[in-house]
Amino acid sequence: VLIMETELWPNFLRECKARQIPVALVNGRISKQSFRRYKLIRFFLRRVLSSLSIAVMQSEMDTERLEVLGMPKERLFTAGNLKFDAEVAGGLRSKTEEIRTRFGLDTGAPLILAASTHANEEEIILDSVKQLGKVRLMIAPRHPERFKEVASLIQQSGLSWSRRTNPPAPNDTGATVILLDTIGELPATYELAHIVYVGGSIVDKGGHNVLEPAASGVAVVTGAHTHNFQAIVELMNEANAIVQLPPLEGCAAGDEVAHVFSKLLADPAGRAELGRRAKQLVTDNQGAANRTIELIAPLISSKPRANFDSILTANAHTS
């Protein structure tokens, strides 16, 4: 059994142990918030962790936290984050070119892409765009059920706009705002943007995946709330490969976002370097999948009801 990240179900794990079914925690992650909560039930959690054959963690910090919580050190490994190995969606070239042509995205005005946005973020981004002058904005809401709501917000903004799901129209090429109200097309738009803002991060939703735009070599901006991708955002900050906004509230949020966008747009060389470093970071951190496979291979290849000690010994040799 392979468990991803932190899906630790005590009864399920206990039954696996009773049946001598090897269980590996893969791409393991213990956030700062979870660690704080887990420490309150450390005695109970130690028993839960005893049902794991091995734990393959994303970072040294995750490994250290799980050891503090009671996971035996000899069963702990660090392999990196599997998300760095996720393939950028392929076969999208024709879709990219279709969107580029329909909306005239190579005609001068820079494009800001607001990806995976949540409630209240669209208003902030729209407000910032109003302050910037000659730019274009594409908004891709995180949840499809909000497409109609976001369309109404754009309409109320007074900015000219177009909707991806509407039939092509002559005003598409001049619309200031484009609503990407489709599913599955977002990855095709990253390379069209000059700046990508990754949503769920100005509002406290934990943020969304910054790696896809980073892998496309585009300048990435995110808000302060990124605990869902904490390790990745920390790496990107250390490499100066992302712009992370401070905590924002109220009417000042639009002003701060506009300031950051304006600064990036005014510095093409700096923006390009930001994107280059982001893309290089993704490339440099790939390989977690192969390391993880090497660690769990003895579990997968072992016969049913295998002895855990022999599995751990095999893993020790592969690490």
Side-chain angles (χ1 to χ4, degrees):
V1 174
L2 305 182
I3 296 174
M4 301 300 294
E5 300 199 350
T6 53
E7 295 295 320
L8 301 175
W9 297 95
N11 289 340
F12 175 76
L13 292 175
R14 186 176 65 246
E15 292 298 327
C16 287
K17 184 176 182 179
R19 290 163 173 75
Q20 294 188 334
I21 299 171
V23 180
L25 177 64
V26 176
N27 210 41
R29 171 178 170 270
I30 304 291
S31 70
K32 185 177 181 179
Q33 291 177 328
S34 296
F35 183 55
R36 191 162 47 241
R37 293 195 302 267
Y38 286 153
K39 284 197 295 185
L40 299 176
I41 55 169
R42 191 182 312 183
F43 176 76
F44 169 73
L45 197 62
R46 184 184 298 271
R47 292 168 52 194
V48 174
L49 294 174
S50 70
S51 298
L52 293 176
S53 306
I54 61 171
V56 185
M57 310 301 287
Q58 294 182 14
S59 69
E60 291 295 342
M61 177 63 74
D62 295 308
T63 300
E64 291 170 7
R65 286 173 177 170
L66 201 64
E67 184 178 2
V68 170
L69 294 174
M71 184 69 184
K73 188 172 184 178
E74 66 272 12
R75 300 188 182 201
L76 267 170
F77 303 87
T78 305
N81 194 322
L82 291 175
K83 290 185 173 69
F84 278 106
D85 283 348
E87 293 185 10
V88 177
L92 295 174
R93 173 56 54 189
S94 62
K95 188 67 65 177
T96 300
E97 293 308 315
E98 177 195 344
I99 295 171
R100 186 199 306 273
T101 301
R102 172 179 168 180
F103 295 102
L105 296 177
D106 54 0
T107 57
L111 176 69
I112 297 170
L113 170 60
S116 300
T117 55
H118 287 253
N120 297 326
E121 289 186 312
E122 293 92 4
E123 295 98 320
I124 293 170
I125 300 299
L126 286 166
D127 180 45
S128 70
V129 166
K130 287 181 179 180
Q131 301 180 46
L132 292 176
K134 193 177 180 182
V135 298
R136 302 185 72 185
L137 171 67
M138 181 180 290
I139 299 179
R142 175 68 175 180
H143 299 117
E145 62 268 23
R146 296 191 60 245
F147 287 163
K148 184 176 180 179
E149 172 193 344
V150 177
S152 178
L153 289 172
I154 299 171
Q155 180 68 39
Q156 293 169 24
S157 74
L159 297 169
S160 62
W161 69 292
S162 183
R163 192 167 182 161
R164 170 62 171 155
T165 54
N166 283 348
N171 69 337
D172 286 344
T173 58
T176 300
V177 183
I178 303 161
L179 174 59
L180 190 69
D181 55 343
T182 56
I183 298 173
E185 289 190 332
L186 180 59
T189 65
Y190 289 131
E191 67 176 80
L192 299 172
H194 291 70
I195 300 169
V196 174
Y197 163 72
V198 180
S201 58
I202 290 179
V203 297
D204 192 0
K205 298 295 182 180
H208 294 296
N209 195 346
V210 296
L211 291 179
E212 284 188 339
S216 296
V218 64
V220 180
V221 176
T222 188
H225 304 289
T226 56
H227 54 263
N228 288 340
F229 293 87
Q230 180 179 345
I232 291 172
V233 172
E234 286 178 358
L235 279 175
M236 294 183 72
N237 272 317
E238 289 172 3
N240 293 317
I242 195 171
V243 175
Q244 186 164 24
L245 300 164
L248 300 173
E249 292 183 7
C251 59
D255 294 341
E256 178 62 25
V257 173
H259 172 72
V260 170
F261 286 167
S262 178
K263 187 175 180 180
L264 286 170
L265 291 173
D267 183 13
R271 192 175 67 244
E273 178 61 17
L274 188 70
R276 187 200 67 77
R277 286 195 293 260
K279 187 172 184 177
Q280 188 63 50
L281 182 71
V282 173
T283 301
D284 291 346
N285 280 275
Q286 290 174 335
N290 287 336
R291 291 188 289 271
T292 299
I293 288 170
E294 289 179 1
L295 289 165
I296 66 175
L299 298 179
I300 295 172
S301 63
S302 63
K303 295 179 180 179
R305 308 180 72 82
N307 182 278
F308 281 175
D309 292 337
S310 63
I311 292 170
L312 291 171
T313 299
N315 271 315
H317 289 307
T318 61
S319 64

